[in-house]
Structures are given as structure tokens and as C-alpha cells.
Amino acid sequence: MCRLFGLSSAPRRTYATFWLLEAPDSLSRQSHQDPDGTGLGYYAADGTPHVDKAPIAAYEDRAFAEDAREVESATFLAHVRFASTGSLDVRNTHPFEQDGRLFAHNGVIEGLGTLDDHLGEDRSLVKGDTDSERLFALVTRETRHHGGDVGAGVAHAARWIARNLPVYALNLVLTTPEQLWALRYPGTHELYVLERPAGGQHGTRHLDHSGSHGRMRVHSAGLADRPAVVVASEPMDDNPHWRPMEAGELLHVGSDLRTTRRVVLPEPPAQQLTLDDLSPDAAASQQAA
């Protein structure tokens, strides 16, 4: 299953070090399915988005993902991909960038021909083959139609997909230089939020988060003395305050770290897919690995 990770320390910029994959250190770990791509998104001080990403198609790509990356930003977005649609290519690797925003997705949406028809000329926003980048293009179009209101863009795009396309899941995280949005829909995959005070639950510790099976590790010494909000596919430390998002919940983390949350999709998709409905590759991409 793809791993999503978003972090905001806004309005303050923070240094953080990311290992998108850790080197296997046991036969047990080596037995798990290798991912198909990794990516990290962040912003320069002037708001310019940057994305470091690569497919996992060769030994060199795995080495790229295992290298430590120290970057500075107020918001961060990381993703480990297990491909459901699209080839193992950098253009299909998350995060994606559109209109200066960064986006990553975990899930499967079918009926892509119908979605392409609905996008019309906005299909030009899509550079690769994935359902995820098409979803982002619809969010981008709806955000433009709503005067730059990203929350409205996410909600309207997700509602259209829920009404009109077969959906397995469309968990997502979207960032701007100082804001973050996350959606969990429907209840297929979990998505967790941690509103972390400076120093964590003990008040003195840096952030050191690790995903399961060596999929991702994040370290930030700067968060020993400043607060942050984290969104992740799984709890990544022993802090007892990780909160699972509700099905259909849209979370917004503002430029002052204030969080707002509302259920924007209270009903399940009109065409809810199960694992048995998916192709073997798509089904494998949506199971824990």
C-alpha cells in the first residue's frame, strides 16, 4: 500500500531529513514487496516548489531512495508508491506539481476515460498515466473555479468522482508553501493526524518518525522547540495522540498551524470497488507491504 506523509511547521521553516526507504537489514524485511517509486516535495524560501523523486526500476533508483535528504521548508510531502496504474517512470511518481501546489494520493480510481472526458482541455495538466495525477488535475480545475479555494477544490473534485466513477480509495495530501490539506475517503485506508506540540509528548524531543518495514524515516531536530502537524498513513512513533481521520473527512492545516476538519463526503461512493474488483497489480498495490 502506498505511504503518504505530510508535515507542516508553518509559518516557521524547519530543517528535516528524509530517508524515503531504509536499507534492508534482515531477511524478514527483504521478503516484503519493494515499492515502485519514492518522492519528496518541499518549498524554497520564495515559495518555489521542489520535487525529488524517482521510480524504483533499477538498483540506482533504490540507492536514490535510501540516501538521506536534508531539506528546509514550512511544509513537506513524501510518498512511497506501489503502482496501480501507469508505468515505472518518473512522470508517474508522486508527488505531482500543478499551479505551484504539490499532491500525492493513495488509492485506485477507475473509469479514467470518463474522467478524461470530464477534464476536457484540462487533461493537458496531466503529464503521465496515473489516476492520481488525473485526480489532481480535477482538484486544480475546481480550485481555479472556486477562486483559489483549495478546500473547495478538493471537496468538489472528490464529490464528482464519488458520484461518477468506480472508487476503491482516494486518500490524498496536498500542500502549498504554508498550508496543507488531507482527505480520507472512503474508509478503505486509514489516515492519521498528529498535532504535535514543541518537543512532542515529553516536551523536549526532536521529531523522529519511522514507518513500518523500512518504508520511510523522518528526523527533525528543529521540532524539539517548535510545534508541527503531521499526517501519515500510519502512526509513526509511540505518541498516544495520533488521531485516525474519519471517512470522508477533509483536514486543513493553516499557515498558523490551526487545524480545521469537516466531513465533506458523508456517503460512500456510488460505485464502491473491493479488492476482488481490481486487477491483480492494482489489488497488490492496495495491500499492506
Side-chain angles (χ1 to χ4, degrees), residues 256-267:
D256 56 1
L257 279 191
R258 291 186 182 181
T259 61
T260 59
R261 56 181 71 97
R262 57 194 174 105
V263 173
V264 297
L265 288 138
E267 303 297 332

Side-chain angles (χ1 to χ4, degrees), residues 6 30 96 108 203 246 256 262 264:
Q30 291 177 38
F96 303 104
V108 178
E246 296 180 50
D256 56 1
R262 57 194 174 105
V264 297

Side-chain angles (χ1 to χ4, degrees), residues 118 135 138-139 141-143 145-146 149-164 183 250 262 264-265:
H118 183 63
L135 166 60
L138 186 56
V139 170
R141 183 172 78 185
E142 291 298 328
T143 298
H145 287 176
H146 289 84
D149 184 333
V150 175
V154 171
H156 280 80
R159 287 170 186 151
W160 186 90
I161 287 173
R163 289 193 306 265
N164 294 283
L183 175 70
L250 176 64
R262 57 194 174 105
V264 297
L265 288 138

Side-chain angles (χ1 to χ4, degrees), residues 51-270:
V51 177
D52 297 334
K53 61 183 181 178
I56 306 296
Y59 172 80
E60 293 80 6
D61 300 329
R62 173 98 200 191
F64 168 92
E66 290 173 1
D67 282 346
R69 281 175 166 69
E70 184 179 48
V71 296
E72 184 186 30
S73 186
T75 61
F76 304 84
L77 176 56
H79 186 268
V80 177
R81 180 189 185 216
F82 291 83
S84 58
T85 60
S87 59
L88 303 191
D89 190 286
V90 68
R91 67 196 180 112
N92 291 326
T93 305
H94 307 224
F96 303 104
E97 185 271 324
Q98 294 175 15
D99 283 5
R101 306 181 190 100
L102 299 175
F103 175 94
H105 163 239
N106 176 27
V108 178
I109 303 164
E110 295 189 347
L112 298 187
T114 301
L115 180 51
D116 284 343
D117 291 343
H118 183 63
L119 284 170
E121 63 183 16
D122 294 307
R123 178 66 171 79
S124 63
L125 292 164
V126 181
K127 310 304 179 186
D129 309 317
T130 64
D131 55 345
S132 303
E133 196 180 12
R134 289 172 166 93
L135 166 60
F136 188 21
L138 186 56
V139 170
T140 297
R141 183 172 78 185
E142 291 298 328
T143 298
R144 291 172 178 175
H145 287 176
H146 289 84
D149 184 333
V150 175
V154 171
H156 280 80
R159 287 170 186 151
W160 186 90
I161 287 173
R163 289 193 306 265
N164 294 283
L165 301 180
V167 173
Y168 183 71
L170 50 79
N171 286 8
L172 63 87
V173 178
L174 187 156
T175 61
T176 66
E178 290 193 338
Q179 298 185 69
L180 180 150
W181 290 261
L183 175 70
R184 180 190 179 200
Y185 184 72
T188 311
H189 295 316
E190 295 180 326
L191 197 58
Y192 290 86
V193 182
L194 176 64
E195 296 185 51
R196 186 182 191 271
Q201 62 174 320
H202 302 289
T204 58
R205 296 184 179 176
H206 54 245
L207 180 142
D208 197 354
H209 282 179
S210 293
S212 60
H213 306 309
R215 295 305 183 206
M216 190 184 301
R217 182 184 170 204
V218 186
H219 176 89
S220 176
L223 294 181
D225 61 8
R226 68 190 64 173
V229 178
V230 183
V231 178
S233 298
E234 57 184 328
M236 296 180 70
D237 68 2
D238 61 359
N239 192 309
H241 300 297
W242 287 95
R243 179 187 68 82
M245 291 178 62
E246 296 180 50
E249 179 183 332
L250 176 64
L251 170 79
H252 175 227
V253 184
S255 57
D256 56 1
L257 279 191
R258 291 186 182 181
T259 61
T260 59
R261 56 181 71 97
R262 57 194 174 105
V263 173
V264 297
L265 288 138
E267 303 297 332

Side-chain angles (χ1 to χ4, degrees), residues 3-19:
R3 300 299 199 275
L4 290 168
F5 180 91
L7 185 151
S8 175
S9 62
R12 300 176 67 179
R13 292 174 61 79
T14 301
Y15 281 100
T17 303
F18 288 78
W19 295 263

